[in-house]
Amino acid sequence: MGEMLSVKNINVFYGSIHAIRDVSFHVNEGEIVTLIGANGAGKTTTMHAISGLLKLQSGEIDYCGQTISKMEAHKIIRLGLAQVPEGRRVFSGLTVQQNLQMGAYVRRDGKEAIQNDFDMVFELLPRLKERRNQPAGTLSGGEQQMLAMGRALMCKPKMLLLDEPSMGLSPLLVKEIFKIIREVNRNGVTVLLVEQNAKMALEIANRAYVLETGTIKMEGEATELANNIEVRKAYLGC
Amino acid sequence: MQFLSYLINGISLGSVYALIALGYTMVYGIAKMLNFAHGDVIMIGSYVVFFTFGTSGMNPILSIVLSMVVCTVLGVVIERVAYRPLREAPSLAVLITAIGVSYLLQQVAQLTWSSNPKSFISVISGIPFLQPLSLFGGQLTISAETIVTIVVCVVIMVALIWFVNNTSAGHAMLAVSEDRGAAQLMGVNVNATISLTFAIGSALAAVAGALLCSSYPTLQPTTGAMPGIKAFVAAVFGGIGSIPGAFLGGILLGIIENLSKAYISTQLSDAIVFLVLIVVLIVKPTGLLGKKVNVKV
């Protein structure tokens, strides 16, 4: 279990705002690591920095032994590092099927292999199969989240970045989404999960980092943090 | 019978508008900008045809292909030099730049080829087997230019819709037009996709230029400006961002313009065209086939 992703002392500006200050963390192969924090703590900014949508001011991000912090977003995904963005961002005018097809955009390993993954995604997310010919914009929030995850899985990622998958979903659906995340991880995909729903995130994660106003405030085993007084007060409401 | 003739000529003019409107609408859909220099690319393309076919007697098809190549390169270079550096800039800056590029092209054309109108020789006349069509025992004659224009427009339209829906590059265009960031996360190279869009739009502009000047044979540096603006109206009319919308908007606009020329007033026909735009924008701001954009938080 080597280090798959390591973020080293990164600084990111969002316009003139110094959104991320000297943040460092790492994710080992096979783990679920969660980054928890309140609104505006810099979680999404961190995600965008990893996937190449935002440029770093300083610092370095390595993935599978390769420096990716200077790479363009559309090249990073080709290394098997996929992101499910905040707010799902499915292509609402395209059908479910076309959205998944877009997920396989970078693949060049033949129709058959892609078809296999279609079957895999539909097995994992049966609701999508029923709605495969529907425009994605007509799906419910939960279904859109599943589609966004299915779309990311279509590129056969080694690592999945999940940004607030529970946002705006009912508790029941949140449970379902987290079950899926666990299953995806069991199938060998390393997961970095960004969440406001700290309770759920700490339940499924191996390790966790607490992000506060752009800096890492705490880190440790997920179970350890779940029992930490400060974390309980600030993020678990108990 | 006369009405039919006006109508068919209107459809033909509208087909040219539709071809130009495609360039506007695709660039708007994908790069989220209005390329007001698009009309002037048409003018440059027409000069290429004028000098290669009209003056030097090159094969007409070859001449149009050459013009398409020149316009494609021109479109891609304009995007690369003038618009790409402004990718993250406010849309007003891009708009002003586009207007600047438009004037630049017109002035360069004026310096190079002078402002004297040149009389354009119809490219269709260079293709011997294309003859006017006579119907109803000679009561209705449709010129070869008209027929070719309509056929070419329909063929291009069908090909373009097929391309967008059935190729990987086409899917990339759809994805970028919906959500640039998400498309990047799928591995789409946004800059390459935008370049491709400019290339296709400009190649179509070259075809539109050759067809337009074959039917309306005066060529001068401002030739592209008015059809450009009208095609923009057509694109908005049909729903900017929508490919079938550009087609529908273009054809309808051509018909409206030609019929108002015939039955209302030649001088007022342009005013009527723009009046239609105003009415459409009041009644249906998204255009005939435009999608309502849902802004979700």
Side-chain angles (χ1 to χ4, degrees):
Chain A
M1 285 223 305
E3 257 182 44
M4 196 167 199
L5 180 80
S6 40
V7 173
K8 298 172 188 160
N9 302 95
I10 61 165
N11 281 282
V12 185
F13 280 77
Y14 214 80
S16 61
I17 301 160
H18 195 169
I20 298 290
R21 296 160 193 266
D22 264 327
V23 163
S24 302
F25 62 91
H26 71 274
V27 181
N28 297 320
E29 196 176 342
E31 273 188 316
I32 300 183
V33 169
T34 183
L35 209 57
I36 57 177
N39 244 340
K43 302 183 304 276
T44 297
T45 309
T46 308
M47 285 303 219
H48 283 181
I50 297 172
S51 59
L53 289 181
L54 279 176
K55 287 208 166 62
L56 303 185
Q57 178 80 15
S58 65
E60 194 182 292
I61 301 172
D62 294 339
Y63 167 77
C64 291
Q66 214 173 338
T67 304
I68 58 167
S69 32
K70 293 231 162 57
M71 234 183 242
E72 291 163 286
H74 66 91
K75 288 188 181 141
I76 290 176
I77 172 132
R78 287 177 164 77
L79 305 173
L81 179 58
Q83 186 185 155
V84 181
E86 184 185 13
R88 358 261 188 232
R89 290 173 76 171
V90 294
F91 301 114
S92 54
L94 307 188
T95 63
V96 168
Q97 177 100 20
Q98 285 171 322
N99 265 277
L100 294 174
Q101 191 77 50
M102 266 324 287
Y105 181 79
V106 292
R107 287 178 60 177
R108 296 287 174 268
D109 54 351
K111 277 207 165 105
E112 209 171 300
I114 293 175
Q115 190 53 49
N116 279 341
D117 284 332
F118 260 113
D119 297 340
M120 181 271 290
V121 167
F122 283 141
E123 198 178 314
L124 183 70
L125 309 162
R127 286 217 224 173
L128 295 183
K129 192 171 189 176
E130 295 162 31
R131 306 191 183 279
R132 63 198 299 171
N133 294 317
Q134 231 169 284
T138 64
L139 301 182
S140 70
E143 288 161 348
Q144 287 192 12
Q145 184 59 50
M146 289 178 194
L147 178 57
M149 287 166 63
R151 186 178 65 176
L153 289 175
M154 284 303 291
C155 78
K156 265 197 157 164
K158 287 189 244 163
M159 180 167 178
L160 204 56
L161 308 175
L162 289 155
D163 197 347
E164 300 264 5
S166 75
M167 195 171 80
L169 300 183
S170 71
L172 215 64
L173 268 168
V174 172
K175 263 197 185 130
E176 203 175 328
I177 295 287
F178 275 79
K179 220 178 91 193
I180 296 165
I181 297 173
R182 216 177 236 161
E183 201 164 328
V184 167
N185 177 251
R186 224 175 278 140
N187 292 339
V189 181
T190 307
V191 173
L192 174 61
L193 170 68
V194 153
E195 261 300 340
Q196 270 196 67
N197 188 336
K199 187 170 180 292
M200 290 296 291
L202 290 175
E203 243 170 59
I204 68 163
N206 304 101
R207 291 186 305 113
Y209 294 85
V210 178
L211 198 61
E212 236 176 79
T213 53
T215 51
I216 301 271
K217 276 282 149 66
M218 263 182 273
E219 59 175 284
E221 299 290 317
T223 43
E224 204 179 289
L225 282 180
N227 291 319
N228 180 295
I229 296 282
E230 267 178 76
V231 173
R232 289 178 73 99
K233 255 193 199 152
Y235 300 103
L236 302 174
C238 53
Chain B
M1 207 50 68
Q2 229 174 1
F3 173 77
L4 206 58
S5 150
Y6 293 141
L7 186 68
I8 291 169
N9 285 329
I11 294 174
S12 164
L13 176 63
S15 300
V16 175
Y17 289 158
L19 280 183
I20 309 170
L22 282 173
Y24 272 110
T25 225
M26 287 172 67
V27 164
Y28 179 83
I30 287 151
K32 301 284 177 273
M33 65 159 291
L34 292 169
N35 177 21
F36 275 116
H38 191 55
D40 304 291
V41 173
I42 298 168
M43 174 270 297
I44 301 284
S46 301
Y47 271 102
V48 172
V49 175
F50 174 82
F51 285 115
T52 55
F53 164 72
T55 316
S56 311
M58 190 190 246
N59 174 297
I61 303 286
L62 215 59
S63 161
I64 293 177
V65 170
L66 181 69
S67 161
M68 286 169 78
V69 172
V70 170
C71 286
T72 302
V73 172
L74 182 65
V76 171
V77 167
I78 289 173
E79 192 278 324
R80 184 72 190 79
V81 173
Y83 304 147
R84 191 176 296 182
L86 299 172
R87 194 80 90 222
E88 308 301 326
S91 53
L92 195 58
V94 188
L95 185 72
I96 306 262
T97 306
I99 294 172
V101 173
S102 164
Y103 279 114
L104 178 75
L105 292 179
Q106 285 182 25
Q107 299 305 320
V108 167
Q110 203 168 61
L111 274 174
T112 324
W113 302 307
S114 90
S115 55
N116 295 333
K118 304 212 170 348
S119 64
F120 194 91
I121 302 156
S122 161
V123 277
I124 311 299
S125 69
I127 309 171
F129 58 86
L130 292 173
Q131 296 299 329
L133 185 67
S134 198
L135 291 174
F136 305 109
Q139 281 187 60
L140 178 68
T141 310
I142 308 170
S143 71
E145 282 82 3
T146 305
I147 300 167
V148 171
T149 304
I150 295 172
V151 170
V152 165
C153 176
V154 169
V155 168
I156 287 178
M157 197 64 215
V158 171
L160 201 59
I161 290 178
W162 182 88
F163 173 79
V164 168
N165 289 316
N166 293 287
T167 63
S168 169
H171 288 156
M173 289 171 122
L174 287 177
V176 173
S177 81
E178 286 231 3
D179 186 332
R180 193 182 287 177
Q184 266 178 300
L185 291 178
M186 301 296 110
V188 175
N189 182 340
V190 170
N191 279 334
T193 305
I194 290 177
S195 289
L196 177 67
T197 310
F198 270 83
I200 294 175
S202 306
L204 298 186
V207 177
L211 292 171
L212 181 75
C213 289
S214 293
S215 294
Y216 301 84
T218 345
L219 177 61
Q220 58 195 63
T222 51
T223 290
M226 199 54 171
I229 295 288
K230 282 190 194 151
F232 168 62
V233 171
V236 174
F237 187 27
I240 194 145
S242 153
I243 291 177
F247 183 67
L248 183 68
I251 301 279
L252 285 177
L253 206 71
I255 294 173
I256 294 168
E257 183 179 333
N258 236 28
L259 291 185
S260 32
K261 259 188 195 144
Y263 295 109
I264 304 173
S265 148
T266 319
Q267 278 95 14
L268 274 181
S269 69
D270 284 350
I272 291 167
V273 165
F274 291 108
L275 189 71
V276 167
L277 173 70
I278 294 170
V279 172
V280 168
L281 286 182
I282 292 170
V283 179
K284 199 167 181 300
T286 52
L288 297 175
L289 300 182
K291 273 174 280 175
K292 206 176 135 222
V293 183
N294 289 314
V295 181
K296 268 194 186 164
V297 210

